[in-house]
Amino acid sequence: MTMHDAIVIGAGHNGLAAAIHLAARGWKVAVVEQAAEPGGAVKTREVTLPGFRHDLCAMNLSMFAGSAFFAAWKDELIAHGLELVPAPDAFCSAFPDGSWLGVSASLDETASRISAISPRDADAWRRMVADFGAQAPHLFGLLGAEMPSPQTARTVWKAWRAMGTSGLLDIGRMLLSTPRDFLDAHFESDRLKAMMAAWGLHLDFAPDTAGGALFPYLESMASQAFGMVIGKGGADTIIRSMTALLRAKGGELLLGTAVDRIETDGGRATGVRLSDGKVLRAGKAVIANAHPKLVFGKLLPSDPKRAAFDARIAGFRAGPGTMMIHLALDRLPDWKAGPDLHRFAYVHLAPDMGLMARTYAEAAGGLLPREPVLVVGQPTAADPSRAPEGKHVLWVQVRVLPADITGDAAGTITARTWDEAKDAYAERVLDLLETYAPGIRSHILGRSVFSPLDLERENPNLIGGDNLSGSHRLDQNFLFRPVAGWSRYRTPVEKLYLCGASTWPGAGTGAGSGFMLGRRLGGK
């Protein structure tokens, strides 16, 4: 029996952030990970051909680069191998007629593109960027505070002092708005609105979903202000540097080690029992960087005293499913919209809000969408080290899909399980890619497809292929994440804490929940 101050279940970046902070505060910490490699949804692997490094899920590291965790540990992370690569041409949308619109870190470049469509919108874009400079400290302060907490109240107070009641109400209104309503209120061009609204489907915000305006606004404005950041050689640069830093602080990392159950005594978490029967004791905390349904449905025995809480966790809704298609290419796609698109980290194939709404409704109804939204990542445009010289990798995220298939909106795929349907649906995706990048199939050297079910097999936290670890709609966000009354990482089991994408501030690579929990337990 081994004693530690804290046991962390799961070596995703949030669990590692908590472990690093606690180890630096003198805690004896062990991180236990069932997979053979750390990282959770931040992994890079040669899944097509040797020498082609593909980010399995997360690619964009802008949230990590802008995080409080990175600010606190930047120098030491860099000393332990962290390398980030700027992508000043962040994202664009391609349209079926061969036109495109994109956001680059140069405001003049972006505004010029918008002006060609609508001079009025170009002026509105410049105003929005200027307003973002005033709003950003308060929005990021909100995202970096426990919810609710005195820090949240101070953030709101500072926002009111800086912007007045009107400015504070503008932020509040945006936090509640649908993407469509927010964008209609600011712009006239359907293409500009579609370009921004596509970010909503990175989460689970269709154009008419309340609370969905924030992410398109933040991603668009942050990309304009700062560009995008990806990892040199792969997104796993953050994981490699974090695990190295953890070990340098005296923390342990146990890979290929599954937790069979969380040990309790008198309603208090005391450690974990591993699948081989070994018990690790925790004197101060057990931190589960895992989906709450796994924690309270698998790792803990049922307890009548927890019945109401467990029922609410059982009702925690997943977001929609995702498919990932990784391609090794002999060249970047020959985009119909032109070679300028080769500069961009992301190319969205989401031409209008009507299509986005239909796709979401089809997936929500269990149907394979007739035309999904595609997020096409071109990491080798900014980081050629990920592929052999002159070659490229393509990262294709297919949004949004059902976890369980009840039918096909196009009426051509008869399979009703993902193991049977994934190849046929991948072909539909490639057919769609062909309409925007003619001839792309002839440039494919290798491919690897992960269906929603495959993603769950790869990472059990991605239930049903939900890469969000739970819907981010208003009733499961802010102080309601994962459930009301338990948004500050505590649980009804004393000394058992949750972190990760299922907790506030949700999905992404910002390490927010892990770092906030680490500071809460170990002090700032």
Side-chain angles (χ1 to χ4, degrees):
M1 191 179 300
T2 305
M3 176 61 76
H4 296 80
D5 292 312
I7 304 295
V8 179
I9 304 170
H13 74 290
N14 275 295
L16 292 172
I20 288 168
H21 187 81
L22 293 175
R25 295 300 181 269
W27 288 38
K28 184 178 180 182
V29 180
V31 180
V32 184
E33 170 58 54
Q34 72 167 9
E37 60 182 315
V42 184
K43 291 178 180 171
T44 307
R45 198 181 294 163
E46 295 181 351
V47 293
T48 56
L49 296 170
F52 291 82
R53 289 179 54 78
H54 303 267
D55 292 335
L56 290 193
C57 293
M59 177 187 126
N60 179 1
L61 299 184
S62 296
M63 291 178 68
F64 185 82
S67 69
F69 175 79
F70 180 67
W73 297 104
K74 177 180 178 180
D75 292 341
E76 291 188 63
L77 288 167
I78 291 172
H80 285 88
L82 177 68
E83 294 184 88
L84 300 176
V85 178
D89 298 295
F91 72 94
C92 68
S93 284
F95 301 102
D97 65 356
S99 63
W100 65 278
L101 184 63
V103 173
S104 299
S106 166
L107 177 56
D108 288 341
E109 278 191 57
T110 305
S112 177
R113 295 174 191 138
I114 297 171
S115 184
I117 301 172
S118 167
R120 178 181 172 186
D121 279 355
D123 292 337
W125 179 270
R126 288 183 182 273
R127 287 194 299 272
M128 184 173 282
V129 172
D131 290 343
F132 176 70
Q135 292 181 350
H138 311 297
L139 287 170
F140 290 126
L142 189 67
L143 294 171
E146 291 185 20
M147 183 69 66
S149 67
Q151 185 181 351
T152 304
R154 287 193 296 271
T155 298
V156 174
W157 170 256
K158 288 179 181 178
W160 178 76
R161 290 290 300 271
M163 299 187 299
T165 301
S166 177
L168 191 60
L169 289 175
D170 284 344
I171 290 179
R173 183 179 181 186
M174 178 184 63
L175 293 176
L176 299 176
S177 290
T178 71
R180 189 191 302 272
D181 288 342
F182 175 76
L183 294 169
D184 281 349
H186 288 87
F187 303 110
E188 62 183 11
S189 166
D190 288 338
R191 296 197 172 188
L192 174 56
K193 289 184 279 190
M195 180 189 75
M196 296 178 70
W199 282 105
L201 288 189
H202 281 245
L203 296 179
D204 63 327
F205 293 115
D208 299 300
T209 303
L214 176 63
F215 197 59
Y217 170 74
L218 280 182
E219 286 291 342
S220 297
M221 293 297 100
S223 293
Q224 178 62 88
F226 311 116
M228 192 175 286
V229 173
I230 64 174
K232 178 72 176 292
D236 68 344
T237 183
I238 69 172
I239 303 301
R240 288 184 278 110
S241 62
M242 291 175 83
T243 54
L245 179 56
L246 173 65
R247 290 181 172 120
K249 299 293 182 187
E252 297 179 64
L253 177 61
L254 308 176
L255 299 175
T257 305
V259 172
D260 185 59
R261 72 171 183 260
I262 296 169
E263 296 282 285
T264 61
D265 183 12
R268 174 181 301 177
T270 59
V272 299
R273 182 174 296 274
L274 306 181
S275 57
D276 63 5
K278 183 178 179 180
V279 175
L280 304 180
R281 292 297 182 192
K284 296 181 179 179
V286 174
I287 297 170
N289 179 31
H291 198 293
K293 283 189 173 181
L294 299 180
V295 177
F296 289 92
K298 178 180 178 183
L299 299 182
L300 279 168
S302 61
D303 183 345
K305 296 179 181 178
R306 272 200 339 262
F309 176 85
D310 287 1
R312 292 164 77 184
I313 290 294
F316 184 66
R317 297 189 316 280
T322 305
M323 174 181 278
M324 293 300 310
I325 300 178
H326 300 290
L327 302 177
L329 301 177
D330 64 11
R331 59 191 291 177
L332 285 172
D334 293 317
W335 295 107
K336 186 165 65 173
D340 283 343
L341 270 63
H342 291 167
R343 298 158 45 193
F344 287 87
Y346 279 159
V347 179
H348 286 132
L349 305 184
D352 59 72
M353 285 199 276
L355 180 140
M356 295 181 223
R358 288 192 300 275
T359 296
Y360 195 97
E362 288 167 356
L367 300 178
L368 296 169
R370 179 185 301 270
E371 182 176 338
V373 167
L374 303 186
V375 185
V376 182
Q378 302 182 125
T380 41
D383 176 25
S385 73
R386 297 183 183 215
E389 186 175 358
K391 304 298 190 293
H392 292 273
V393 299
L394 212 64
W395 178 100
V396 183
Q397 187 181 72
V398 185
R399 301 289 291 161
V400 290
L401 299 174
D404 300 306
I405 304 168
T406 62
D408 177 22
T412 60
I413 297 175
T414 58
R416 296 296 178 262
T417 69
W418 273 113
D419 284 341
E420 296 174 329
K422 79 171 184 178
D423 289 334
Y425 202 76
E427 288 301 317
R428 180 175 296 177
V429 171
L430 291 179
D431 287 342
L432 179 57
L433 261 179
E434 283 274 354
T435 67
Y436 287 89
I440 192 169
R441 275 189 171 88
S442 66
H443 300 294
I444 297 174
L445 304 174
R447 85 176 189 184
S448 180
V449 179
F450 288 77
S451 72
L453 181 58
D454 293 329
L455 291 176
E456 183 176 352
R457 288 167 176 154
E458 171 69 30
N459 182 346
N461 291 301
L462 308 183
I463 296 174
D466 167 24
N467 65 337
L468 312 174
S469 287
S471 169
H472 285 61
R473 293 194 174 194
L474 284 174
D475 64 332
Q476 289 192 176
N477 209 356
F478 300 101
L479 72 164
F480 302 108
R481 192 166 189 86
V483 294
W486 299 97
S487 59
R488 297 180 63 187
Y489 316 120
R490 292 187 306 110
T491 74
V493 179
E494 188 179 348
K495 294 190 177 181
L496 174 63
Y497 302 87
L498 296 175
C499 70
S502 297
T503 63
W504 171 257
T509 57
S513 62
F515 190 44
M516 282 190 273
L517 175 57
R519 290 192 298 180
R520 181 178 188 194
L521 296 176
K524 297 183 180 181

